[in-house]
Amino acid sequence: MDESLILQVKQRYNIVGNCEALNRAIEIALKIAPVDLSVLVTGENGVGKEIFPRIIHDHSLRKGKKYFAVNCGAIPEGTIDSELFGHEKGAFTGAIDQREGYFAAANGGTLFLDEVGELPLQTQARLLRVLETGEYIRVGSSEVRKTNVRIVAATNVNMEKAIAEGKFREDLYYRLNTISISVPALRDRGDDAALLFRKFALDMSERYKMPPVRLTEDAVRLLVAYPWKGNVRQLKNLTENMSVTAEKREIDAETLRTYLPADSFHNQLVAVNETPREHSFETEREILYKILFDLRRDVSELKRIVREQNLTQPSSLGARTESHNLVFGTHPADNFEKEEEDAFWEAEEVKEELAEQTPKKTTEEVLTPVGRSLEEVECEMIRRALAEHNGRRKQAADSLGISERTLYRKIKEYQLENE
Ligand SMILES: Nc1ncnc2c1ncn2[C@@H]1O[C@H](COP(=O)(O)OP(=O)(O)OP(=O)(O)O)[C@@H](O)[C@H]1O
Ligand SMILES: [Mg+2]
């Protein structure tokens, strides 16, 4: 499809985003708009489903006719039939007049049934009948009426699950789902989150006549990596909130983090600290990996020296196997998962290699960490890194492969502040 057509639709309906899956969803909407079949728009909450029925209607042969949007989830179960199909005077208490429902009002046009997964089962049966025959009966009437309405429905409910649980009719699902459009979650849209942020920030700045909030590079990284369970709606609310309440217009990752729910604290930290070339280590386990890998490097270096000096003295390294486990607690193979096991066996291999060619004294020097508690090793590593970088914490953290934040925490924990 002509890309300029998709671009036009984005401009007309204020849709921001460039990701492939979003473009594909718009493309499908445009393609199927003139084909007079039912459509089901699916996607998590807040992804932007509600614009699609409008796009479909506006590009269909029904565009000059009525378009109604009904939120099935917002209408009480007792009145939904009457809202959709109408009722006769006196059909139920309070029915003082007869009323035509949406199916009559939208005749010739399009009816958007939002949150269709919330429809009660008896309404589902009525809906299936209209979809199959174009016929319906008002509540309290026995007269069969005809209508010609195109249905576009939307849901954020897992329909397969709803069917399995007996909450949604399978036959109706297939009928509604003749064509489906899946709107992608924000977390799968790459840089679109940053584009959307800029759009919402600009909207707010125009509305409140103030400069828009901007994100620093690390904040953009965090924004793009954040999982956005509430999708575009959550991002929009956050941007609006931030536009009004932030003290400074430039928002860094730390400030952005204060606007994000606390439960994903860890994700955010990783996101901020991660750059394509660098890895951050947030947990003791990861620090431990680093010690092991550094150890391996040292051992290779040691092997080189040994070879150079042509030393042949046998070693007694085997005796140190038990002390190795002190660092790990119990035997690692008991409770480590695959990756951890790999790291452990790698260390074992290193020790075996050492045992073959290394004199005891040199080995002990290299293996200083082994036999001491993890805390001691960690504390020593931090102390050395700080000394090496003249107390500059950023550089020390980088050289340790941990975030500055973790380093601060460790310095406090080991009371290294005043050293
Ligand atoms: N691509 C987008 N560009 C600009 N704004 C968007 C985009 N997608 C969604 N929005 C905005 O995000 C908000 C949520 O969108 P919408 O109401 O369509 O979500 P939804 O998919 O219907 O969610 P729910 O299932 O919870 O009803 C709206 O204010 C909408 O304008
Ligand atoms: Mg909605």
Side-chain angles (χ1 to χ4, degrees):
M1 177 175 280
D2 190 356
E3 278 181 19
S4 65
L5 217 64
I6 297 178
L7 194 65
Q8 272 172 30
V9 167
K10 285 185 191 167
Q11 283 165 352
R12 176 172 169 194
Y13 296 93
N14 271 321
I15 300 173
V16 171
N18 270 328
C19 86
E20 191 53 39
L22 181 68
N23 288 348
R24 178 90 189 114
I26 297 171
E27 187 183 342
I28 296 175
L30 291 175
K31 271 197 184 139
I32 53 89
V35 187
D36 214 23
L37 291 169
S38 308
V39 183
L40 183 64
V41 185
T42 58
E44 292 179 15
N45 57 29
V47 288
K49 295 185 288 297
E50 288 177 29
I51 205 66
F52 283 87
R54 189 74 236 192
I55 297 173
I56 293 168
H57 175 75
D58 292 346
H59 291 82
S60 75
L61 303 172
R62 296 170 179 261
K63 65 180 175 208
K65 302 282 171 48
K66 292 270 174 51
Y67 171 87
F68 286 104
V70 183
N71 187 338
C72 305
I75 303 172
E77 191 166 335
T79 54
I80 183 107
D81 282 357
S82 132
E83 292 272 342
L84 291 176
F85 306 104
H87 63 249
E88 295 297 339
K89 187 175 174 180
F92 49 85
T93 322
I96 37 177
D97 279 318
Q98 66 159 220
R99 169 188 178 159
E100 72 163 9
Y102 283 110
F103 272 95
N107 194 10
T110 307
L111 190 55
F112 168 32
L113 296 180
D114 199 3
E115 298 189 25
V116 75
E118 305 296 323
L119 277 182
L121 282 165
Q122 86 171 12
T123 314
Q124 291 178 31
R126 283 174 179 262
L127 178 57
L128 182 64
R129 181 170 178 192
V130 197
L131 283 168
E132 285 184 335
T133 63
E135 291 175 355
Y136 68 98
I137 297 172
R138 282 184 180 170
V139 176
S141 164
S142 52
E143 188 188 337
V144 175
R145 293 166 198 268
K146 278 268 187 191
T147 187
N148 171 11
V149 170
R150 182 184 196 179
I151 300 291
V152 182
T155 184
N156 57 27
V157 167
N158 178 338
M159 294 298 260
E160 276 86 12
K161 186 164 171 266
I163 292 166
E165 289 169 354
K167 292 182 184 151
F168 205 86
R169 291 179 67 121
E170 195 170 9
D171 44 9
L172 176 60
Y173 172 65
Y174 289 121
R175 191 84 211 181
L176 287 172
N177 200 20
T178 318
I179 297 165
S180 76
I181 296 179
S182 162
V183 186
L186 183 56
R187 79 185 75 85
D188 299 327
R189 295 193 205 177
D191 294 341
D192 279 7
L195 290 178
L196 281 157
F197 178 91
R198 285 219 294 275
K199 177 211 164 18
F200 297 139
L202 275 177
D203 289 350
M204 287 303 282
S205 87
E206 274 165 27
R207 196 183 310 165
Y208 293 105
K209 308 273 172 279
M210 58 181 173
V213 280
R214 296 180 311 275
L215 297 176
T216 59
E217 266 180 40
D218 59 345
V220 170
R221 278 207 297 279
L222 168 55
L223 191 91
V224 170
Y226 187 72
W228 300 111
K229 285 195 186 130
N231 292 292
V232 184
R233 183 182 294 116
Q234 185 187 7
L235 175 59
K236 187 175 180 179
N237 291 342
L238 175 143
T239 315
E240 292 184 348
N241 180 0
M242 186 187 276
S243 299
V244 176
T245 58
E247 282 172 23
K248 285 192 271 172
R249 296 288 89 184
E250 187 167 83
I251 308 292
D252 59 15
E254 198 53 36
T255 311
L256 173 56
R257 194 163 51 79
T258 62
Y259 284 88
L260 293 166
D263 62 342
S264 20
F265 185 67
H266 179 75
N267 290 341
Q268 294 151 25
L269 263 183
V270 171
V272 177
N273 290 310
E274 232 165 30
T275 65
R277 278 170 291 105
E278 206 173 52
H279 192 80
S280 83
F281 294 85
E282 282 303 319
T283 65
E284 277 78 357
R285 193 182 64 186
E286 285 167 322
I287 292 175
L288 191 56
Y289 285 166
K290 184 161 166 45
I291 295 172
L292 283 172
F293 297 136
D294 287 350
L295 187 63
R296 192 187 176 100
R297 206 187 44 222
D298 289 347
V299 168
S300 302
E301 176 65 10
L302 179 69
K303 275 160 69 178
R304 194 183 56 76
I305 295 168
V306 168
R307 245 181 260 119
E308 276 173 16
Q309 294 180 356
N310 201 18
L311 293 174
T312 50
Q313 202 182 330
S315 108
S316 54
L317 246 187
R320 297 197 63 84
T321 311
E322 288 312 308
S323 12
H324 172 92
N325 289 341
L326 278 180
V327 177
F328 289 88
T330 56
H331 194 286
D334 290 340
N335 33 16
F336 275 19
E337 291 176 8
K338 174 93 182 62
E339 285 170 74
E340 295 159 312
E341 263 183 53
D342 288 346
F344 167 69
W345 290 119
E346 226 174 301
E348 289 294 307
E349 269 173 40
V350 167
K351 284 198 303 182
E352 273 167 27
E353 282 168 19
L354 264 173
E356 280 164 22
Q357 9 182 340
T358 319
K360 187 169 186 253
K361 185 168 175 293
T362 323
T363 312
E364 278 182 338
E365 277 166 17
V366 174
L367 291 180
T368 316
V370 178
R372 294 163 64 182
S373 77
L374 178 56
E375 284 75 20
E376 279 176 302
V377 174
E378 207 177 68
C379 179
E380 184 55 30
M381 282 181 72
I382 291 170
R383 195 178 272 126
R384 278 192 209 171
L386 284 168
E388 205 174 296
H389 296 280
N390 296 325
R392 285 192 298 271
R393 294 181 178 186
K394 170 97 183 65
Q395 282 93 330
D398 284 349
S399 75
L400 286 166
I402 61 176
S403 70
E404 218 177 326
R405 185 187 166 83
T406 303
L407 181 62
Y408 271 82
R409 187 163 55 78
K410 295 283 172 195
I411 288 174
K412 233 176 163 170
E413 198 176 303
Y414 297 128
Q415 299 173 347
L416 299 175
E417 286 110 325
N418 304 320
E419 285 195 4

